[in-house]
Amino acid sequence: MTFGIEVNGRPFTREPRPGQCLRTYLRDGGWFGVKKGCDAGDCGACTVHVDGEPVHSCLYPAFRADGRTVTTVEGLAAEGGELHPVQRRFLDAQGFQCGFCTAGFLMTTVALDEEQRADLPRAFKGNLCRCTGYRAIEDAVHGVCHAEAPAPGGAVGRNLPAPAGPQVVTGTARYTFDVDLPGLLHMKLLRSPHAHARIVAVDTSAALRVPGVHAVLTHHDAPRRHFSTARHEHPEEDPADTRVLDDTVRHIGQRVAAVVADSEAAAEEGCRRVQVTYDVLPAVLDPEEAMRPGAPVVHDKDRATARISRPLDNVVGETHVEIGDVEAGFAEADAVYEDTYPTQRVQHASLETHGALAWFDEDNRLNVRTSSQTPFLTRRALCALYDLPEERVRVVAGRVGGGFGGKQEMLVEDVVALAVLRLRRPVKLEYTRAEQFYGATTRHPFTVRLKVGARRDGTLTAMRLRVVSNTGAYGNHGPSVMFHSVGESLAVYRAPNKKVDAFSVYTHTVPAGAYRGYGLGQVMFAVESALDELARRLGLDPLEFKARNIIGPGESLVTPGGWDEDLHVASYGLDQCLGVVRSARAEPLTKAVTDAVPDGWLVGEGAALAMIATGPPGGHLADARAALLPDGTFDLAVGTAEFGNGTTTVHRQIASGELATTVERITVRQSDTDVVRHDTGAFASTGIVVAGKATLRASRALAGLLLDFAAGQLSVPRADCRLTEEAVVHPGGRLPLKELYEAAEARGVTLAADGHFGGTPRSVAFNAQWFRVAVDPGTGEIRILRSVHAADAGTVMNPMQCRGQVEGGIAQALGATLFEDVRIDARGEVETAAFRSYRVPQYADVPRTEVHFTDTADTIGPLGAKSMSESPFNPVAPALSNALRDATGLRFTQLPLTRDRVWLALDRAGVTAPHHRGRGKLDE
């Protein structure tokens, strides 16, 4: 009997493979809008319609679609390309950021009836978004329009839509694996079952006999060079402790061998047949134990060449700094508070997992297509690892499906390149969701011991921190995160006496890496919570206590990090941020709020503030090139990557303003090592403040070049010439840009200009978060009644887009505050390797936050802008913890604030009725 299926109106008779799911069947047919986010029915990115009903195609057997009609996101638009009304609404509301989940949300939304649209928490329980915070998606469903139509004139400050929006909503935006490569081979990785072991022998013979297996690569095939998976402009910042494939494994899940085959199934079978003999070694999982004498050594390497602080003590990096006299500061304090604040591992959970494809092109150049925030630094690392000249290697990041710092690493490209160099065939490696948990990186777990003291009048006298960061089995970002964590978190306060002892420590656990906030969030949780508690013990209002001690405009930043020479308060909006919180606190409770709180629940409020540098120390480089095209439009080439951070939109806005044109007349090429000289990467919130400044300079230089050349052509003073949307105008008429290009070409002149920025000096941005919460003492449930966020972003380039970054950061931080926790068992194995056991915030978990921007303009950032992608994350946990303290009278010092943890503490303290009256009590 012949198999038959109709996909988007076209019949197909290709038989599915045995056991094949509908998702892979559709992608094999070129319907790349169907995404893989989990392969377990947890995220909804693969949602399609079967006979009009939405299904998760990763769970739907392809053979069941026989005789049925299947619609993917590509099939929603009408004949002739007219968008489906839901696609149009998602465009109007800009209901996406990275866009990887958008097809799934669209397909779910299309199938909703009126009753379901009225209950979106239930309707969207099967769809996850890690970027948006869901507000923009909700607005899209309800037909709220945020996007403005492009028009001539100044574009900065307007809600202009993302240029890739039409492709995102139609499923035609191309992410890493949305390409068809002839002859593609598939790689799967065999991973260690032990936390610490030496590989004695590897027998690959049985694996090589599996039909379709082409190669099995082990440590014998890998270069002996050590490197860091972390990507920074200066590689010497990071420990060189990693090999492509190592003969010693240091955590459960570390890759041991790579099997390359014609199919994923054959590669998986090959992995099962590789025989490895291990000499199992003692392991240490706790960083405090790891620093004790006699603990198992994670990396017995040379201190100088490996750039490890104390290898035999498992300390990869450390800092010990004292400013003033801390003990004297505590002696003069009228109140002192001290406690320990542990924070947990958190997974980035970007819906597009790590992965890469690589191949040799017709010019014998190695091409790597990867889901990366750092294509240029990845090229540099591959060239160093395999002795390749940079001109023979091209690295491209397509549209990246979320990053959050997790893709500021080289986790897959090195081993894929090894296979391609060996086999001279295209090779693909795509992580499963489980591999993201035990084979990628997490946020660093911290333990912060903090002591603070103040006088009775609320003046801080001393702050002392002991910070221990668990970097896991490899150091990658460990020292940098540790240094950064004790920087702005302390510098924002004026205490004259500060002391820091901080350690980044190896353990035999899954490595930690770069994560939104880069260590600041962990330490700010401790600092902001401790200062709140100290204020209460002094009988002072916590917000006013903090306001008394914060730095002011123009003040010097004193940090214990030792790298603040180029860091300045180049604009100041912290006072306005605190003003927003004061206003929110002063507003009376609405009836809707009081009705939302059941009898017997406790109500309280809390706030926290945060400061962050608008770029990393030591320089962050960006190049851009702007050029006039033959048709009179413009080409803008930038190196920074787009992964929902919105840089593509803003770069067009910057360029259009300088070139006096519309954003639609500017084409952006990006994240390709062939398009510009260099770009350090899209991390540390630099997409606008560093790469945007390079774009500003390139566009401004091109505008000057166009006016100069036009003036020469017209034999008129340049001062009489002015750029407009499509021409250079002058008192005697106009010269169309198309004709200007032709004249330049005839004379051998290229109308193009370069821009560069080195990332220094740097400014700081500020944020403040305020919550009102209700707590059920009988269950430990926390209900957020109101969420208000104030953001000092300088000149807000695109308010709609910037608000989305703030909302997404808050949503992600709420997950880390309330329930996200990468749990590791007594053996060192990750227990939460799926979305069903690791809870990412769903639509129902995220409140609608009121976002307020301050009125500031930075003197360093391009056109007055500051960064605002990482910083909203940082004050969320302490603000919520402070609100919980206000409601319950108990100080919670450990994250996450899970219901069982809250209930147990309340039960032990005997808090069963609303006897504690916080500021937000309903009957006050």
Side-chain angles (χ1 to χ4, degrees), residues 129 184 216 255 314 342 413 450 471 488 526 532 535 564 567 601 616 620 666 696 794 801 838:
C129 175
L184 181 66
V216 181
R255 60 195 190 194
N314 292 318
E413 299 91 343
L450 177 62
T471 195
E488 298 98 280
D532 186 276
D564 59 337
L567 191 59
W601 284 45
H620 188 107
I666 298 174
L696 176 67
Q801 186 171 272
Y838 182 85

PDB file of all heavy atoms in Angstrom, residues 129 184 216 255 314 342 413 450 471 488 526 532 535 564 567 601 616 620 666 696 794 801 838:
ATOM      1  N   CYS A 129       9.002  29.845  25.429  1.00  0.00           N
ATOM      2  CA  CYS A 129       9.834  30.896  24.857  1.00  0.00           C
ATOM      3  C   CYS A 129      10.838  31.301  25.911  1.00  0.00           C
ATOM      4  O   CYS A 129      10.463  31.577  27.051  1.00  0.00           O
ATOM      5  CB  CYS A 129       9.001  32.103  24.441  1.00  0.00           C
ATOM      6  SG  CYS A 129      10.010  33.498  23.852  1.00  0.00           S
ATOM      7  N   LEU A 184      26.018  14.906   3.347  1.00  0.00           N
ATOM      8  CA  LEU A 184      26.226  15.251   4.748  1.00  0.00           C
ATOM      9  C   LEU A 184      26.342  13.999   5.613  1.00  0.00           C
ATOM     10  O   LEU A 184      25.519  13.085   5.539  1.00  0.00           O
ATOM     11  CB  LEU A 184      25.063  16.114   5.244  1.00  0.00           C
ATOM     12  CG  LEU A 184      25.121  16.588   6.695  1.00  0.00           C
ATOM     13  CD1 LEU A 184      26.279  17.556   6.897  1.00  0.00           C
ATOM     14  CD2 LEU A 184      23.796  17.258   7.080  1.00  0.00           C
ATOM     15  N   VAL A 216      35.600   6.666  13.653  1.00  0.00           N
ATOM     16  CA  VAL A 216      35.458   6.809  15.094  1.00  0.00           C
ATOM     17  C   VAL A 216      36.709   7.540  15.582  1.00  0.00           C
ATOM     18  O   VAL A 216      37.827   7.035  15.460  1.00  0.00           O
ATOM     19  CB  VAL A 216      35.315   5.458  15.810  1.00  0.00           C
ATOM     20  CG1 VAL A 216      35.153   5.685  17.312  1.00  0.00           C
ATOM     21  CG2 VAL A 216      34.135   4.676  15.264  1.00  0.00           C
ATOM     22  N   ARG A 255      32.852  14.309  26.546  1.00  0.00           N
ATOM     23  CA  ARG A 255      32.964  13.513  25.331  1.00  0.00           C
ATOM     24  C   ARG A 255      34.226  12.659  25.362  1.00  0.00           C
ATOM     25  O   ARG A 255      35.300  13.105  25.765  1.00  0.00           O
ATOM     26  CB  ARG A 255      32.907  14.406  24.104  1.00  0.00           C
ATOM     27  CG  ARG A 255      33.975  15.450  23.996  1.00  0.00           C
ATOM     28  CD  ARG A 255      33.596  16.483  22.951  1.00  0.00           C
ATOM     29  NE  ARG A 255      34.698  17.388  22.643  1.00  0.00           N
ATOM     30  CZ  ARG A 255      34.561  18.525  21.978  1.00  0.00           C
ATOM     31  NH1 ARG A 255      33.370  18.898  21.565  1.00  0.00           N
ATOM     32  NH2 ARG A 255      35.603  19.283  21.712  1.00  0.00           N
ATOM     33  N   ASN A 314      43.127  23.041  43.234  1.00  0.00           N
ATOM     34  CA  ASN A 314      41.919  23.152  42.408  1.00  0.00           C
ATOM     35  C   ASN A 314      41.389  24.572  42.304  1.00  0.00           C
ATOM     36  O   ASN A 314      40.205  24.789  42.021  1.00  0.00           O
ATOM     37  CB  ASN A 314      40.808  22.232  42.942  1.00  0.00           C
ATOM     38  CG  ASN A 314      41.137  20.770  42.777  1.00  0.00           C
ATOM     39  OD1 ASN A 314      41.660  20.353  41.738  1.00  0.00           O
ATOM     40  ND2 ASN A 314      40.872  19.969  43.796  1.00  0.00           N
ATOM     41  N   PRO A 342      23.947  30.958  49.115  1.00  0.00           N
ATOM     42  CA  PRO A 342      24.267  30.036  48.015  1.00  0.00           C
ATOM     43  C   PRO A 342      23.298  30.218  46.844  1.00  0.00           C
ATOM     44  O   PRO A 342      22.097  30.414  47.038  1.00  0.00           O
ATOM     45  CB  PRO A 342      24.096  28.650  48.635  1.00  0.00           C
ATOM     46  CG  PRO A 342      23.710  28.877  50.080  1.00  0.00           C
ATOM     47  CD  PRO A 342      23.219  30.289  50.184  1.00  0.00           C
ATOM     48  N   GLU A 413      32.429  23.086  17.495  1.00  0.00           N
ATOM     49  CA  GLU A 413      33.110  23.382  16.236  1.00  0.00           C
ATOM     50  C   GLU A 413      34.455  22.656  16.117  1.00  0.00           C
ATOM     51  O   GLU A 413      34.869  22.255  15.025  1.00  0.00           O
ATOM     52  CB  GLU A 413      33.324  24.891  16.091  1.00  0.00           C
ATOM     53  CG  GLU A 413      32.033  25.702  16.079  1.00  0.00           C
ATOM     54  CD  GLU A 413      31.592  26.160  17.456  1.00  0.00           C
ATOM     55  OE1 GLU A 413      32.093  25.604  18.466  1.00  0.00           O
ATOM     56  OE2 GLU A 413      30.744  27.073  17.520  1.00  0.00           O
ATOM     57  N   LEU A 450      28.814  37.091  53.260  1.00  0.00           N
ATOM     58  CA  LEU A 450      28.833  38.548  53.214  1.00  0.00           C
ATOM     59  C   LEU A 450      28.622  39.121  54.603  1.00  0.00           C
ATOM     60  O   LEU A 450      27.736  38.684  55.348  1.00  0.00           O
ATOM     61  CB  LEU A 450      27.726  39.048  52.277  1.00  0.00           C
ATOM     62  CG  LEU A 450      27.533  40.552  52.141  1.00  0.00           C
ATOM     63  CD1 LEU A 450      28.775  41.210  51.561  1.00  0.00           C
ATOM     64  CD2 LEU A 450      26.330  40.853  51.259  1.00  0.00           C
ATOM     65  N   THR A 471      33.389  26.338  39.190  1.00  0.00           N
ATOM     66  CA  THR A 471      33.508  26.405  37.727  1.00  0.00           C
ATOM     67  C   THR A 471      33.355  25.049  37.062  1.00  0.00           C
ATOM     68  O   THR A 471      33.341  24.957  35.841  1.00  0.00           O
ATOM     69  CB  THR A 471      34.853  27.037  37.327  1.00  0.00           C
ATOM     70  OG1 THR A 471      34.819  27.412  35.953  1.00  0.00           O
ATOM     71  CG2 THR A 471      36.011  26.074  37.547  1.00  0.00           C
ATOM     72  N   GLU A 488      31.072  45.539  39.841  1.00  0.00           N
ATOM     73  CA  GLU A 488      30.009  46.532  39.954  1.00  0.00           C
ATOM     74  C   GLU A 488      29.050  46.250  41.111  1.00  0.00           C
ATOM     75  O   GLU A 488      28.372  47.146  41.601  1.00  0.00           O
ATOM     76  CB  GLU A 488      29.224  46.616  38.653  1.00  0.00           C
ATOM     77  CG  GLU A 488      30.028  47.050  37.457  1.00  0.00           C
ATOM     78  CD  GLU A 488      30.487  45.868  36.616  1.00  0.00           C
ATOM     79  OE1 GLU A 488      31.491  45.225  37.002  1.00  0.00           O
ATOM     80  OE2 GLU A 488      29.851  45.587  35.583  1.00  0.00           O
ATOM     81  N   ALA A 526      23.286  38.428  47.073  1.00  0.00           N
ATOM     82  CA  ALA A 526      23.776  38.510  48.442  1.00  0.00           C
ATOM     83  C   ALA A 526      23.843  39.957  48.927  1.00  0.00           C
ATOM     84  O   ALA A 526      23.366  40.286  50.030  1.00  0.00           O
ATOM     85  CB  ALA A 526      25.149  37.850  48.537  1.00  0.00           C
ATOM     86  N   ASP A 532      19.366  45.016  52.601  1.00  0.00           N
ATOM     87  CA  ASP A 532      17.957  45.105  52.994  1.00  0.00           C
ATOM     88  C   ASP A 532      17.792  44.667  54.450  1.00  0.00           C
ATOM     89  O   ASP A 532      17.112  45.323  55.243  1.00  0.00           O
ATOM     90  CB  ASP A 532      17.126  44.218  52.068  1.00  0.00           C
ATOM     91  CG  ASP A 532      15.628  44.354  52.292  1.00  0.00           C
ATOM     92  OD1 ASP A 532      15.098  43.680  53.199  1.00  0.00           O
ATOM     93  OD2 ASP A 532      14.999  45.117  51.558  1.00  0.00           O
ATOM     94  N   ALA A 535      19.343  47.219  56.913  1.00  0.00           N
ATOM     95  CA  ALA A 535      18.468  48.387  57.082  1.00  0.00           C
ATOM     96  C   ALA A 535      17.338  48.078  58.053  1.00  0.00           C
ATOM     97  O   ALA A 535      16.994  48.902  58.918  1.00  0.00           O
ATOM     98  CB  ALA A 535      17.909  48.814  55.733  1.00  0.00           C
ATOM     99  N   ASP A 564      39.311  48.627  36.500  1.00  0.00           N
ATOM    100  CA  ASP A 564      38.294  49.640  36.288  1.00  0.00           C
ATOM    101  C   ASP A 564      38.850  50.959  35.758  1.00  0.00           C
ATOM    102  O   ASP A 564      38.176  51.982  35.809  1.00  0.00           O
ATOM    103  CB  ASP A 564      37.556  49.906  37.603  1.00  0.00           C
ATOM    104  CG  ASP A 564      38.497  50.375  38.705  1.00  0.00           C
ATOM    105  OD1 ASP A 564      39.693  50.079  38.601  1.00  0.00           O
ATOM    106  OD2 ASP A 564      38.027  51.029  39.643  1.00  0.00           O
ATOM    107  N   LEU A 567      36.538  52.528  33.226  1.00  0.00           N
ATOM    108  CA  LEU A 567      35.113  52.451  33.543  1.00  0.00           C
ATOM    109  C   LEU A 567      34.659  53.763  34.182  1.00  0.00           C
ATOM    110  O   LEU A 567      35.253  54.223  35.158  1.00  0.00           O
ATOM    111  CB  LEU A 567      34.861  51.278  34.494  1.00  0.00           C
ATOM    112  CG  LEU A 567      33.402  50.883  34.732  1.00  0.00           C
ATOM    113  CD1 LEU A 567      32.722  50.496  33.431  1.00  0.00           C
ATOM    114  CD2 LEU A 567      33.333  49.736  35.738  1.00  0.00           C
ATOM    115  N   TRP A 601      -3.250  34.777  53.232  1.00  0.00           N
ATOM    116  CA  TRP A 601      -1.956  34.915  52.564  1.00  0.00           C
ATOM    117  C   TRP A 601      -1.230  36.142  53.122  1.00  0.00           C
ATOM    118  O   TRP A 601      -1.856  37.119  53.563  1.00  0.00           O
ATOM    119  CB  TRP A 601      -2.145  35.066  51.062  1.00  0.00           C
ATOM    120  CG  TRP A 601      -2.483  33.782  50.359  1.00  0.00           C
ATOM    121  CD1 TRP A 601      -3.401  32.851  50.765  1.00  0.00           C
ATOM    122  CD2 TRP A 601      -1.944  33.295  49.141  1.00  0.00           C
ATOM    123  NE1 TRP A 601      -3.466  31.814  49.870  1.00  0.00           N
ATOM    124  CE2 TRP A 601      -2.582  32.061  48.857  1.00  0.00           C
ATOM    125  CE3 TRP A 601      -1.003  33.780  48.246  1.00  0.00           C
ATOM    126  CZ2 TRP A 601      -2.285  31.304  47.731  1.00  0.00           C
ATOM    127  CZ3 TRP A 601      -0.702  33.035  47.105  1.00  0.00           C
ATOM    128  CH2 TRP A 601      -1.339  31.807  46.852  1.00  0.00           C
ATOM    129  N   PRO A 616      32.890  44.573  28.376  1.00  0.00           N
ATOM    130  CA  PRO A 616      33.901  43.891  29.177  1.00  0.00           C
ATOM    131  C   PRO A 616      35.197  44.694  29.255  1.00  0.00           C
ATOM    132  O   PRO A 616      35.458  45.556  28.411  1.00  0.00           O
ATOM    133  CB  PRO A 616      34.122  42.588  28.403  1.00  0.00           C
ATOM    134  CG  PRO A 616      33.863  42.972  26.981  1.00  0.00           C
ATOM    135  CD  PRO A 616      32.776  44.013  27.025  1.00  0.00           C
ATOM    136  N   HIS A 620      37.110  45.290  23.516  1.00  0.00           N
ATOM    137  CA  HIS A 620      36.168  44.450  22.784  1.00  0.00           C
ATOM    138  C   HIS A 620      36.051  45.100  21.412  1.00  0.00           C
ATOM    139  O   HIS A 620      35.569  46.223  21.299  1.00  0.00           O
ATOM    140  CB  HIS A 620      34.821  44.418  23.504  1.00  0.00           C
ATOM    141  CG  HIS A 620      33.849  43.435  22.939  1.00  0.00           C
ATOM    142  ND1 HIS A 620      33.525  42.265  23.597  1.00  0.00           N
ATOM    143  CD2 HIS A 620      33.132  43.426  21.796  1.00  0.00           C
ATOM    144  CE1 HIS A 620      32.633  41.597  22.879  1.00  0.00           C
ATOM    145  NE2 HIS A 620      32.376  42.292  21.773  1.00  0.00           N
ATOM    146  N   ILE A 666      18.519  49.673   3.559  1.00  0.00           N
ATOM    147  CA  ILE A 666      19.805  49.196   4.081  1.00  0.00           C
ATOM    148  C   ILE A 666      19.725  47.689   4.267  1.00  0.00           C
ATOM    149  O   ILE A 666      18.862  47.177   4.991  1.00  0.00           O
ATOM    150  CB  ILE A 666      20.152  49.868   5.418  1.00  0.00           C
ATOM    151  CG1 ILE A 666      20.281  51.378   5.227  1.00  0.00           C
ATOM    152  CG2 ILE A 666      21.436  49.291   6.011  1.00  0.00           C
ATOM    153  CD1 ILE A 666      20.483  52.142   6.510  1.00  0.00           C
ATOM    154  N   LEU A 696      28.070  53.245  13.506  1.00  0.00           N
ATOM    155  CA  LEU A 696      27.907  54.699  13.479  1.00  0.00           C
ATOM    156  C   LEU A 696      29.072  55.355  12.750  1.00  0.00           C
ATOM    157  O   LEU A 696      28.880  56.232  11.885  1.00  0.00           O
ATOM    158  CB  LEU A 696      27.806  55.228  14.911  1.00  0.00           C
ATOM    159  CG  LEU A 696      27.726  56.745  15.077  1.00  0.00           C
ATOM    160  CD1 LEU A 696      26.419  57.278  14.521  1.00  0.00           C
ATOM    161  CD2 LEU A 696      27.878  57.123  16.553  1.00  0.00           C
ATOM    162  N   GLY A 794      20.183  54.849  28.754  1.00  0.00           N
ATOM    163  CA  GLY A 794      20.632  55.981  27.958  1.00  0.00           C
ATOM    164  C   GLY A 794      19.600  56.304  26.894  1.00  0.00           C
ATOM    165  O   GLY A 794      18.388  56.209  27.116  1.00  0.00           O
ATOM    166  N   GLN A 801      11.756  47.205  21.270  1.00  0.00           N
ATOM    167  CA  GLN A 801      12.741  46.130  21.309  1.00  0.00           C
ATOM    168  C   GLN A 801      13.461  46.103  22.659  1.00  0.00           C
ATOM    169  O   GLN A 801      13.686  45.040  23.235  1.00  0.00           O
ATOM    170  CB  GLN A 801      13.747  46.339  20.177  1.00  0.00           C
ATOM    171  CG  GLN A 801      14.748  45.236  19.999  1.00  0.00           C
ATOM    172  CD  GLN A 801      15.536  45.450  18.725  1.00  0.00           C
ATOM    173  OE1 GLN A 801      15.130  45.004  17.659  1.00  0.00           O
ATOM    174  NE2 GLN A 801      16.645  46.142  18.821  1.00  0.00           N
ATOM    175  N   TYR A 838      13.429  19.898  34.443  1.00  0.00           N
ATOM    176  CA  TYR A 838      14.025  21.226  34.639  1.00  0.00           C
ATOM    177  C   TYR A 838      13.012  22.238  34.149  1.00  0.00           C
ATOM    178  O   TYR A 838      12.736  22.332  32.945  1.00  0.00           O
ATOM    179  CB  TYR A 838      15.330  21.358  33.853  1.00  0.00           C
ATOM    180  CG  TYR A 838      16.013  22.698  34.051  1.00  0.00           C
ATOM    181  CD1 TYR A 838      16.854  22.899  35.133  1.00  0.00           C
ATOM    182  CD2 TYR A 838      15.788  23.756  33.171  1.00  0.00           C
ATOM    183  CE1 TYR A 838      17.469  24.129  35.334  1.00  0.00           C
ATOM    184  CE2 TYR A 838      16.395  24.987  33.364  1.00  0.00           C
ATOM    185  CZ  TYR A 838      17.239  25.161  34.436  1.00  0.00           C
ATOM    186  OH  TYR A 838      17.835  26.383  34.632  1.00  0.00           O
TER     187      TYR A 838
END
